[in-house]
Amino acid sequence: QVPLVESGGGLVQAGGSLRLSCAASGRTFNSDPMGWFRQAPGREREFVAAITWTGSSTFYSDSVKGRFTISRDNAKSTVYLQMNGLKPEDTAVYYCAADPDGDYTHTEAWAYWGKGTLVTISS
């Protein structure tokens, strides 16, 4: 059973917005940091954002800082990624991750992953 399930992806025009959701399934991650990564065609998976388990601290890649906002609702075991001012270069499959050990920006630090949701931005 996949422990994390992403939703909310789709096709939008440049400048538009989307909100991605990631729901825990089978177990909760309410005591763990959670994060979002993305992978564009032909490119490596890259860090997008992360949030501590209390939600008091957030971290962003330079490419999305000021446009994307990560948040969480532990009562719903869900983490969100609000994406505004979308650009064609944001097109990618977006993955949710949980329970890191080490540098948040490294994919190998994260123990649990979802299957991803596709975000496509048209110019």
Side-chain angles (χ1 to χ4, degrees):
Q1 185 177 10
V2 178
L4 300 168
V5 180
E6 303 94 337
S7 62
L11 171 65
V12 297
Q13 290 187 331
S17 298
L18 279 175
R19 189 176 82 154
L20 306 183
S21 299
C22 171
S25 175
R27 61 158 286 179
T28 64
F29 297 94
N30 295 344
S31 298
D32 301 312
M34 296 187 73
W36 288 94
F37 284 71
R38 67 186 182 186
Q39 187 166 17
R43 302 189 67 176
E44 293 187 351
R45 194 171 299 188
E46 65 174 2
F47 171 74
V48 174
I51 187 168
T52 55
W53 73 273
T54 62
S56 60
S57 295
T58 56
F59 309 88
Y60 299 94
S61 67
D62 288 342
S63 61
V64 308
K65 196 173 297 182
R67 300 188 297 122
F68 291 10
T69 303
I70 188 171
S71 62
R72 67 190 298 164
D73 184 341
N74 286 341
K76 297 181 179 180
S77 296
T78 300
V79 64
Y80 304 97
L81 187 68
Q82 177 66 44
M83 305 186 295
N84 299 328
L86 285 161
K87 306 175 182 181
E89 51 264 43
D90 294 318
T91 295
V93 176
Y94 283 71
Y95 297 89
C96 179
D99 193 13
D101 181 11
D103 189 329
Y104 285 3
T105 65
H106 293 174
T107 57
E108 57 267 29
W110 297 80
Y112 298 93
W113 293 88
K115 290 187 174 181
T117 185
L118 177 62
V119 171
T120 305
I121 312 302
S122 63
S123 57

